[in-house]
Amino acid sequence: MKALSTSISKITLVLTAALVTTGCSAVAKPQMSNATASSATSLQAKALDNTLLYSDECITEREVVNAQKMWGNGIVRIGSVFTNKGDYSAEAADFIQDMYGYDLSSVLFKPTLATNDQFRSSFDAALSYFVGGNDAYAEDKGFAIKPYTNVKFDNVGIINNSCRMAVAMGNYFFTDTSGGETKVEYTFAYVKDSDGDLRIVAHQSSLPYNPTSN
């Protein structure tokens, strides 16, 4: 019996040592509740979606300036297609898809010439502002089909301290077909998508304050 007891003790010591060596524990770990597990899965899925939608590269000032040029050229192009009796609505839809982040996240868009519906949080609302023709936004005359022949940005500053988002503020100037120029104040915020292209997620613009109008 003494020999048997000694053997059992040795086996117990060996098993304990093996558990310690492999990092195993004889104490059962508490299990996550279904709600906690579901929440963790949801967060992981969201993180994966963000990885797929956004680039992990920082935004440079040069990229912002290039994106502004593309935006201005796009406005001029929509007006040109309208003048030549082409499909300017399709041109504007492509412009919004390329330049704005409606397919990435919420977009805060407060355009210049909007009074009744000042904020355009959907793709269709933005399209209406640029080309009109939507009964839901009767005030829209089609900003981009005025048309304009040139758009020039004059940045007061570009902030990209957060790396993943850049904000630009300043004036831009719109030249119409008669040569007249309109100055408008703007603030644009950009993110970079997974293809490395900058997309607008916030856009606010307004005409400068005119003290004589009061």
Side-chain angles (χ1 to χ4, degrees), residues 24-203:
C24 296
S25 174
V27 180
K29 295 181 180 178
Q31 298 297 311
M32 287 191 296
S33 67
N34 290 337
T36 303
S38 176
S39 177
T41 302
S42 177
L43 289 173
Q44 290 173 350
K46 186 175 181 180
L48 178 60
D49 286 344
N50 286 338
T51 300
L52 295 174
L53 293 174
Y54 299 98
S55 170
D56 59 358
E57 297 178 350
C58 292
I59 299 172
T60 67
E61 185 170 326
R62 181 182 293 276
E63 287 176 316
V64 171
V65 171
N66 287 339
Q68 291 175 336
K69 289 179 181 178
M70 291 175 61
W71 191 94
N73 291 340
I75 293 295
V76 172
R77 190 166 57 251
I78 293 167
S80 176
V81 172
F82 170 78
T83 300
N84 293 315
K85 303 186 184 307
D87 192 348
Y88 59 91
S89 291
E91 186 69 36
D94 289 342
F95 166 78
I96 296 169
Q97 179 64 42
D98 291 341
M99 298 304 306
Y100 290 81
Y102 284 102
D103 59 332
L104 299 177
S105 66
S106 296
V107 174
L108 304 176
F109 179 23
K110 191 279 174 191
T112 313
L113 305 178
T115 301
N116 299 323
D117 293 287
Q118 302 150 277
F119 306 100
R120 305 304 175 90
S121 58
S122 72
F123 183 97
D124 289 342
L127 180 62
S128 176
Y129 177 74
F130 286 116
V131 297
N134 187 332
D135 292 339
Y137 303 93
E139 67 180 320
D140 292 344
K141 308 303 179 187
F143 174 81
I145 60 176
K146 182 175 176 66
Y148 296 102
T149 60
N150 188 56
V151 179
K152 180 181 66 176
F153 280 77
D154 181 15
N155 292 304
V156 170
I158 298 173
I159 298 172
N160 58 350
N161 297 343
S162 64
C163 185
R164 302 294 179 83
M165 178 178 287
V167 180
M169 179 181 288
N171 296 309
Y172 44 2
F173 302 83
F174 296 83
T175 304
D176 60 31
T177 54
S178 68
E181 189 175 73
T182 301
K183 181 173 79 170
V184 182
E185 302 163 342
Y186 70 84
T187 301
F188 279 40
Y190 300 89
V191 296
K192 186 183 293 190
D193 67 20
S194 58
D195 293 325
D197 298 320
L198 296 198
R199 309 281 288 281
I200 301 164
V201 291
H203 172 184

